[in-house]
């Protein structure tokens, strides 16, 4: 065997100034190891975060002893591979210093052949405090950098922002949805790789031209060799293709390229457009007299491009997959845990499967977290989810000294090499929000950062910014992942070196982060007025459900302004902002537990308005990624799934509003418009049916119109005048329902109300009835009501999701719902009985009119 890999296991750890060693779990970090050893309380409970800030001020040490098999010792080369060290690490093998690491995102490879023994090897890693290191760097720099989300106050550092100096996950220093836990530890695998003669170091399937009829790719094979001579390179695919090419090995490193053509390839498609077909490519180098070396990668054959072309309204911004323009539907992804090494395969799969169940086709890996683990991208490959991939820079300015630039370049190279075979990767983006936050070419724009510095320093900081995001990173992407587009910063319009470079709330070029709803307290209706070419961020907060809140707060803390509830709200006055919007749109909640439910309904209604406004403007707008999919701890936030993976109301709303064929009803003053949006690549025909009902289910008016919608387009089908067609009915107790019907099947249906939920005259007893469907083993139900029931919430005893939830019930229009259990093994979700089923609706959580009169 030309190669042999041996994992390094069985670790222990301690503080550098302690004498007692304790068992450690690797991969992991100091915080999780302290927790597992019972030395700290649960970091996520109550306000424990504040008590644990001492951890990042200490130096920590990890150590292990190991023996090696003869198979590895016999090789002429032995390389120790560190796939992730967090962050400032000194590594000693058998008392010899072998590595100084300073970047948790890099992979470190060290030749250790001369230091290894068959028995009794000792590996020791000392992690220096990232806080002490940061303070030294800040002092040496002479000035600080803006970093709005660096929670230096909780860290006891006053206004000293240290995150920018250290190449580790920015969110570890705190964010406006996450706690401050500045970790240290071995965050990925450590192994020893032995080889003799020669080896394949890397295999990249570079996709040159991919069409339905032919795929022309280049197998780029990097070889490291001690020998010189003639060999043979063979590339196989799992479907039986084989190509051979003679190679001439030379001593050292060399790259061999083999052009490959596959006729009638099985293309990789996103969810909704086809199968996510994958190929396994295996490269083998064989030389007579030596064991062959092999490398295997899995990829999908596809053509993916970011299309930016001038048009009559500005410049397009959309992704094209295999020649098909894609309307991107999805959300922004953050790390699934403050301690990301705790994220299991099942948790990753639950997130990606939830995205698919919600009709997503894209996730954005946001730049303040981590370059995700391989399994995340493998799941996106398998499920057909495109990935917008940020480099890990967000909401800060960064140093520009040569050492920092060299470190960033190596980080980019490592991660592009690791991820470039994944067909799901659609874009590399330089950073999150820095271009707009600094707004170099527009004096009164931005976040007020540049005004803190002298004119000379401002120019230097901007030049340092350009060196990373306009020069270095695009070159590394072009060199190592040719064919994948690069975008310097999200959001921005385009590189112009003038004020038109920076994005606005209604830019007609580039992408937009629209935050006037929420941060500026603008009404939900303004989502309809600010639609750009690609909406890569926007959002609204809600609380998790009561079961999740109880994991961090006891019943005495169930108040909007309790210490714990304020601590688990990282966006300033966010709790009260939710309440202000709720007061505008919804009825008064009965109590705080009811407010938890109402906050989810509020968030969902706001996001529905935004998503559907974006989709109605398809062709002009070609993407909507809301903020945010998930949480890293249990918290009130913008997420659509809470930390435990429980779907909030918005996840069900997104599932409906992201349907591949969607009906959207929009009211503008006296006009009600019916729009159809289709993301499928063939025309659809059918009938639009509409009916006006009172809340007891009586049909007041109706109509129907045939429709035809071209492939992959959005069309306004019908416009009704409220005064002419829908009067004289009470707007507070009527509902308009539209349905798209095709050959007897309902493609989509939507309700529309003529006043805010706050003013609707809901029955105190809607009499909801749930009937199990025979022969479904308790997995399927028909839900009905005797009067309108708004936002019906089905809660299960078993963890899982429903096929629909937080829906409205109109008398005479039953809803069929299935329950899908969340699984640890096998399929992500399977039909099952939900166990005890609880059914409530909005009226159960609000103060009735009678109660309001008594209170007044």
């Amino acid at each position: 065997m030309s190669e042999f890999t041996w994992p390094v296991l069985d670790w222990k750890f301690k503080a550098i100034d302690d004498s007692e060693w304790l068992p450690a779990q690797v991969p992991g970090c100091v915080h999780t190891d302290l927790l597992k050893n019972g030395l700290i309380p649960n970091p996520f409970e109550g306000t424990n975060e504040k008590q644990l800030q001492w951890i990042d001020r200490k130096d920590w040490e990890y150590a292990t002893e190991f023996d090696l098999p003869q198979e590895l010792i016999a090789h002429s080369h032995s390389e120790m591979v560190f796939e992730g060290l967090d962050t400032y690490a000194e590594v000693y093998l058998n008392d010899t210093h072998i590595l100084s690491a300073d970047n948790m995102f890099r992979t470190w490879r060290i030749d250790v052949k001369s230091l290894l023994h068959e028995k009794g090897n000792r590996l020791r890693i000392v992690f220096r405090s990232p806080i002490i290191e940061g303070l030294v760097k800040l002092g040496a720099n002479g000035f600080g950098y803006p970093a709005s989300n660096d929670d230096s106050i909780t860290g006891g550092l006053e206004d000293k922002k240290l995150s920018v100096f250290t190449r580790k996950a920015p969110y570890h220093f705190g964010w406006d949805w996450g706690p401050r836990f500045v970790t240290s530890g071995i965050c990925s695998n450590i192994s020893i790789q032995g080889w003799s003669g020669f080896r394949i170091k890397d295999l990249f399937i570079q996709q040159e031209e991919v069409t339905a009829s032919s795929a022309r790719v280049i197998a780029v094979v990097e070889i490291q060799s001690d020998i010189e001579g003639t060999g043979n390179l063979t590339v196989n695919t799992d479907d039986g293709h084989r190509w051979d090419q003679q190679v001439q090995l030379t001593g050292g490193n060399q790259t061999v390229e083999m052009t490959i053509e596959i006729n009638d390839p099985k293309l990789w498609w996103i969810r909704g457009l086809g199968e996510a077909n994958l190929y396994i490519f295996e490269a083998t180098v064989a030389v007579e007299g030596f064991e062959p070396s092999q490398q295997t990668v899995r990829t999908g054959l596809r053509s993916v491009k970011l299309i930016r072309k001038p048009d009559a309204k500005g410049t397009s911004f959309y992704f094209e997959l295999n020649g098909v323009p894609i309307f991107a539907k999805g959300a922004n992804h953050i790390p699934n845990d403050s301690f990301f090494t705790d994220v299991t395969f099942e948790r990753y799969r639950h997130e990606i499967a939830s995205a698919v169940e919600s009709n997503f086709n894209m996730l954005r890996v946001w730049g303040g977290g981590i370059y995700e683990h391989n399994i995340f991208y493998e799941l996106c490959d398998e499920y057909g989810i495109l990935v917008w991939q940020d480099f890990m820079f967000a909401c800060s300015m960064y140093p520009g000294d040569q050492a920092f630039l060299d470190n960033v370049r190596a980080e980019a190279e490592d991660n592009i090499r690791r991820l470039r075979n994944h067909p799901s990767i659609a874009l590399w983006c330089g950073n999150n929000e820095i271009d707009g936050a600094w707004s170099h070419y527009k004096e009164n724009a931005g976040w007020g950062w540049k005004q803190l510095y002298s004119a000379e320093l401002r120019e230097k900081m901007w030049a340092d910014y350009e060196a990373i995001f306009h020069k270095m990173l695009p070159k590394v992407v072009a060199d190592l992942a040719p064919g994948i587009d690069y975008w310097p910063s999200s959001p921005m319009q385009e590189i112009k070196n003038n004020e038109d470079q920076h994005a606005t709330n209604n830019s007609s070029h580039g992408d937009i982060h629209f935050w006037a709803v929420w941060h500026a307290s603008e009404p939900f209706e303004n989502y309809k007025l600010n639609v750009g070419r690609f909406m890569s961020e926007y959002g609204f907060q809600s609380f998790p459900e009561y079961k999740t809140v109880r994991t961090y707060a006891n019943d005495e803390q169930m108040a909007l302004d309790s210490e714990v509830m304020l601590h688990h709200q990282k966006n300033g006055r966010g709790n009260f902002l939710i309440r202000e919007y709720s007061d505008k749109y919804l009825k008064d909640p009965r109590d705080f537990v009811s407010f938890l439910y109402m906050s989810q309904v509020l968030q969902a209604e706001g996001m529905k308005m935004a998503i559907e406004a974006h989709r109605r403007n398809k062709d002009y707008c070609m993407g909507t990624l809301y903020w945010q999919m998930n949480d890293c701890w249990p918290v009130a936030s913008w997420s659509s799934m809470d930390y435990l993976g429980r779907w909030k109301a918005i996840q069900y709303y997104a599932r409906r509003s992201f349907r591949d064929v969607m009906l959207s009803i929009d009211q503008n003053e006296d006009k009600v418009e019916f729009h159809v949006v289709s993301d499928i690549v063939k025309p659809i025909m059918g009938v639009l049916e509409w009916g006006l009902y009172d809340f007891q289910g009586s049909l007041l008016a109706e109509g129907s119109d045939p429709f035809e919608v071209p492939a992959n387009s959005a069309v306004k089908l019908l416009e009704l005048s409220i005064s002419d067609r829908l009067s004289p009915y009470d707007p507070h107790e009527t509902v308009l329902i539209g349905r798209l019907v095709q050959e007897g099947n309902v493609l989509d249906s939507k309700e529309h109300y003529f006043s805010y939920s706050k003013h609707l005259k809901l029955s105190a007893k809607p009499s909801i009835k749930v009937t199990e469907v025979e022969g479904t083993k308790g997995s399927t139900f028909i839900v009905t009501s005797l009067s309108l029931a708004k936002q019906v919430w089905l809660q299960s005893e078993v963890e899982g999701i429903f096929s629909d939830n937080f829906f409205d019930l109109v008398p005479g229009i039953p809803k069929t719902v299935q329950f899908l259990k969340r699984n640890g093994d096998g399929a992500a979700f399977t039909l099952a009985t939900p166990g005890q089923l609880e059914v409530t609706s909005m009226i159960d959580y609000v103060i009735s009119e009678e109660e309001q009169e008594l209170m007044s």
Side-chain angles (χ1 to χ4, degrees):
M1 182 178 293
S2 68
E3 297 160 80
F4 189 92
T5 299
W6 187 256
V8 179
L9 307 172
D10 300 324
W11 291 86
K12 59 185 178 180
F13 85 111
K14 68 180 184 68
I16 202 76
D17 55 0
D18 286 347
S19 58
E20 182 183 2
W21 289 94
L22 297 166
Q25 180 172 310
V26 171
C29 70
V30 170
H31 290 73
T32 53
D33 285 331
L34 290 171
L35 181 61
K36 288 179 175 70
N37 282 279
L39 297 178
I40 60 172
N42 184 339
F44 296 161
E45 285 186 9
T47 60
N48 289 343
E49 174 195 357
K50 296 177 182 179
Q51 304 170 26
L52 302 179
Q53 296 303 308
W54 60 271
I55 297 172
D56 61 32
R57 300 296 185 102
K58 282 182 167 286
D59 295 346
W60 298 87
E61 183 176 3
Y62 281 71
T64 186
E65 295 185 6
F66 58 93
D67 300 332
L68 293 174
Q70 183 58 41
E71 296 97 310
L72 191 145
I73 292 293
H75 278 292
S76 56
H77 293 273
S78 296
E79 190 175 72
M80 188 165 279
V81 181
F82 303 87
E83 296 179 24
L85 296 174
D86 178 17
T87 291
Y88 296 104
E90 303 299 330
V91 184
Y92 301 85
L93 176 61
N94 294 327
D95 300 323
T96 298
H97 182 268
I98 63 170
L99 172 66
S100 292
D102 61 355
N103 188 326
M104 72 173 287
F105 301 126
R106 287 178 62 180
T107 297
W108 309 87
R109 300 175 181 273
I110 309 296
D111 185 352
V112 293
K113 174 66 178 177
S114 64
L115 298 174
L116 290 174
H117 313 305
E118 188 172 351
K119 302 287 185 183
N121 294 283
R122 300 178 309 281
L123 183 60
R124 186 167 66 93
I125 306 177
V126 176
F127 291 96
R128 302 192 309 279
S129 162
I131 302 308
I132 302 304
E133 289 293 316
L135 287 169
V136 171
K137 290 177 183 290
L138 174 61
N141 196 63
F143 64 92
Y145 293 90
S148 303
N149 286 285
D150 183 328
D151 187 7
S152 56
I153 301 299
T154 295
L157 296 165
E158 298 175 337
D159 63 346
K160 297 182 178 69
K161 309 294 187 180
L162 306 180
S163 56
V164 297
F165 297 104
T166 298
R167 291 310 298 149
K168 72 183 266 84
Y171 82 109
H172 282 169
F173 293 84
W175 217 265
D176 59 1
W177 36 256
R180 183 187 188 277
F181 293 117
V182 187
T183 57
S184 290
I186 304 169
C187 59
S188 195
N189 297 320
I190 298 176
S191 62
I192 301 172
Q193 297 178 0
W195 63 279
S196 300
F198 58 89
R199 65 169 175 172
I200 299 177
K201 287 183 65 176
D202 188 60
L203 171 61
F204 171 40
I205 304 302
Q206 181 178 321
Q207 304 193 30
E208 290 289 287
E209 185 176 10
V210 177
T211 66
S213 60
S214 176
R216 181 166 55 86
V217 304
I218 300 174
V220 182
V221 185
E222 294 185 27
I223 303 171
Q224 186 176 13
S225 179
D226 284 341
I227 67 171
E228 296 186 358
T230 302
N232 191 66
L233 169 63
T234 302
V235 176
N236 298 287
T237 62
D238 55 334
D239 66 344
H241 288 87
R242 176 189 171 105
W243 301 266
D244 290 279
Q245 176 177 308
Q246 191 177 84
V247 294
Q248 193 67 36
L249 294 186
T250 58
N253 295 312
Q254 66 186 103
T255 299
V256 176
E257 296 185 353
M258 177 190 285
T259 299
I260 290 170
E261 188 157 340
I262 299 176
N263 293 322
D264 301 318
K266 296 178 180 178
L267 298 182
W268 184 88
W269 290 99
I270 55 170
R271 183 221 61 80
L273 287 185
E275 295 298 317
N277 296 300
L278 297 169
Y279 285 82
I280 295 174
F281 287 82
E282 181 183 73
T284 303
V285 174
V287 177
E288 187 174 351
F290 293 87
E291 292 289 333
S293 177
Q294 293 180 329
Q295 185 85 259
T296 299
V297 300
R298 187 182 71 169
T299 191
L301 299 177
R302 87 293 183 252
S303 168
V304 62
K305 301 174 184 177
L306 175 64
I307 305 299
R308 297 180 58 251
K309 290 183 178 179
D311 58 26
K313 296 180 179 179
T315 306
S316 68
F317 193 108
Y318 67 88
F319 294 92
E320 181 186 270
L321 180 66
N322 301 326
V324 177
I326 302 299
F327 188 102
K329 301 177 293 189
N332 288 263
H333 160 91
I334 67 170
N336 276 301
D337 208 295
S338 291
F339 311 112
F340 60 81
T341 54
D342 276 358
V343 183
T344 62
F345 165 78
E346 190 279 331
R347 288 173 68 183
Y348 274 121
R349 186 185 63 178
H350 177 69
E351 180 192 4
I352 304 306
S354 291
V356 171
E357 289 288 335
S358 303
N359 295 314
F360 287 20
N361 58 28
M362 177 175 275
L363 287 168
R364 174 184 175 224
V365 178
W366 165 79
I370 62 173
Y371 303 95
E372 272 296 354
H373 292 304
N374 291 337
I375 188 61
F376 174 89
Y377 304 97
E378 290 166 6
L379 287 165
C380 289
D381 294 345
E382 293 169 11
Y383 280 87
I385 297 292
L386 288 172
V387 174
W388 167 316
Q389 177 67 53
D390 282 5
F391 288 96
M392 292 303 116
F393 300 88
C395 302
S396 307
M397 298 299 282
Y398 288 90
D401 59 274
Q402 194 59 49
F404 189 85
L405 295 177
D406 290 344
N407 203 358
V408 168
R409 181 181 292 104
E411 166 191 325
E413 290 172 350
D414 284 352
N415 285 284
I416 292 171
R417 286 179 182 275
R418 178 170 67 92
L419 300 178
R420 61 185 176 175
N421 280 308
H422 290 286
S424 53
I425 299 286
L427 179 75
W428 284 93
C429 178
N431 68 72
N432 176 73
E433 296 188 340
I434 304 178
D435 181 89
W438 186 260
S439 288
H440 189 70
Y441 300 108
K442 199 168 185 178
E443 182 62 28
N444 296 321
W447 297 359
W449 289 355
K450 59 183 179 286
Q451 288 80 2
L452 302 173
Y453 300 91
S454 68
E456 182 181 4
L457 200 50
R458 283 164 60 163
E459 291 300 324
K460 178 192 182 310
M461 293 169 73
W462 184 246
D464 291 344
Y465 171 91
E466 290 186 313
I468 297 174
F469 302 109
H470 292 184
K471 297 175 183 177
M472 178 211 297
L473 290 180
K475 184 178 187 308
V476 177
V477 172
D479 289 346
L480 296 181
I484 296 299
D485 286 291
Y486 173 84
W487 185 240
S489 182
S490 179
M492 66 177 290
Q493 297 198 61
E494 55 189 319
I495 296 178
K496 287 203 164 202
N497 298 322
N498 61 40
E499 66 179 33
D500 292 334
Q501 176 169 310
H502 313 306
T504 67
N505 281 344
N506 52 15
S507 305
S508 59
H509 312 263
D511 65 322
I512 290 177
H513 293 189
F514 180 70
W515 282 106
V517 175
W518 183 264
H519 287 303
S521 300
E522 291 187 8
F524 288 153
E525 287 79 3
N526 282 13
Y527 280 129
K528 299 196 295 183
L529 305 178
N530 294 273
V531 177
R533 310 309 296 255
F534 196 105
M535 306 300 291
S536 47
E537 272 194 33
Y538 57 94
F540 194 86
Q541 280 200 6
S542 71
F543 282 83
E545 63 183 81
Y546 176 71
K547 284 192 298 185
T548 300
V549 173
R550 283 293 279 113
T551 66
Y552 63 83
N554 58 36
D555 281 335
E556 281 126 25
Q557 292 289 334
M558 291 293 158
L560 201 62
D561 58 354
S562 73
E563 181 184 17
V564 170
M565 223 54 66
L566 291 175
H567 188 75
H568 283 253
Q569 167 57 265
K570 294 296 185 178
N571 188 236
R573 56 184 297 271
N575 288 0
F576 306 102
L577 197 53
I578 297 172
R579 183 58 189 261
E580 288 174 15
Y581 275 88
S582 182
D583 288 344
K584 176 179 176 66
Y585 292 102
L586 301 178
K587 297 180 184 295
D588 294 333
R590 288 184 175 275
D591 50 29
F592 181 72
V593 174
S594 298
F595 182 71
L596 301 178
Y597 162 90
M598 298 294 280
S599 76
Q600 291 199 16
V601 169
L602 178 71
Q603 177 194 35
E605 289 287 341
M607 292 300 93
K608 173 179 179 285
M609 190 173 293
I611 291 169
E612 296 194 7
H614 303 157
R615 292 195 70 193
R616 286 195 300 271
N617 283 277
K618 182 173 181 172
D619 285 344
Y620 177 79
C621 176
M622 286 296 285
T624 179
L625 307 178
Y626 65 79
W627 185 270
Q628 67 207 61
M629 177 71 173
N630 54 327
D631 277 325
C632 69
W633 75 319
V635 65
S637 81
W638 296 272
S639 71
S640 56
M641 286 195 322
D642 70 27
Y643 171 69
L644 297 176
R646 292 169 177 152
W647 284 25
K648 296 181 179 180
I650 179 184
Q651 198 73 55
Y652 290 100
Y653 271 58
R655 176 180 167 89
R656 296 192 287 263
S657 292
F658 280 157
R659 283 182 176 135
D660 293 334
V661 177
M662 178 199 71
L663 172 65
S664 180
I665 306 175
D666 182 42
Q667 180 177 341
N668 292 291
E669 298 180 346
D670 186 56
K671 305 296 184 183
V672 175
E673 301 170 352
F674 294 78
H675 297 254
V676 176
V677 183
S678 172
D679 292 332
I680 61 177
V681 291
K682 60 182 180 180
I684 57 171
M685 293 179 290
V687 176
L688 167 66
E689 301 176 350
W690 63 267
L692 185 69
Y693 297 83
D694 67 21
F695 288 177
Q696 285 65 50
S698 298
L699 181 62
L700 307 175
E702 63 179 328
S704 65
D705 292 272
F707 70 84
E708 181 172 354
V709 178
N712 207 14
S713 64
V715 175
K716 182 171 78 171
L717 295 182
L718 178 66
E719 182 179 282
L720 297 178
S721 166
I722 296 174
S723 56
D724 291 345
R725 302 289 299 274
L726 305 177
S727 289
Y729 308 109
D730 187 343
H732 303 317
E733 52 183 347
T734 52
V735 55
L736 177 65
I737 298 178
R739 302 180 192 87
L740 297 177
V741 181
Q742 185 183 65
E743 298 178 352
N745 298 314
V746 177
L747 302 178
D748 195 16
S749 65
K750 287 283 171 60
E751 301 86 19
H752 175 75
Y753 297 88
F754 300 94
S755 63
Y756 294 156
S757 291
K758 181 182 186 72
H759 304 301
L760 297 181
K761 298 176 181 178
L762 300 178
S763 168
K765 294 181 179 180
S767 301
I768 300 172
K769 182 180 178 182
V770 178
T771 305
E772 182 181 322
V773 176
E774 291 185 11
T776 64
K777 298 181 180 179
S779 67
T780 307
F781 307 88
I782 295 175
V783 191
T784 59
S785 68
L786 295 182
S787 63
L788 177 73
K790 275 199 67 63
Q791 277 96 15
V792 175
W793 184 23
L794 306 177
Q795 298 179 71
S796 61
E797 179 184 8
V798 176
E799 288 291 335
I801 63 173
F802 290 90
S803 59
D804 203 357
N805 213 342
F806 291 92
F807 50 80
D808 292 356
L809 277 177
V810 175
I813 305 178
K815 174 77 70 171
T816 300
V817 179
Q818 295 180 313
F819 177 74
L820 296 96
K821 177 186 175 185
R822 178 179 177 180
N823 294 315
D825 300 314
F829 300 112
T830 53
L831 288 172
T833 176
Q836 184 174 346
L837 187 64
E838 182 179 353
V839 185
T840 54
S841 69
M842 179 177 284
I843 199 65
D844 298 303
Y845 298 96
V846 301
I847 300 173
S848 67
E849 293 182 8
E850 294 81 3
E851 289 170 318
Q852 285 180 328
E853 289 178 6
L854 287 173
M855 290 169 62
S856 62

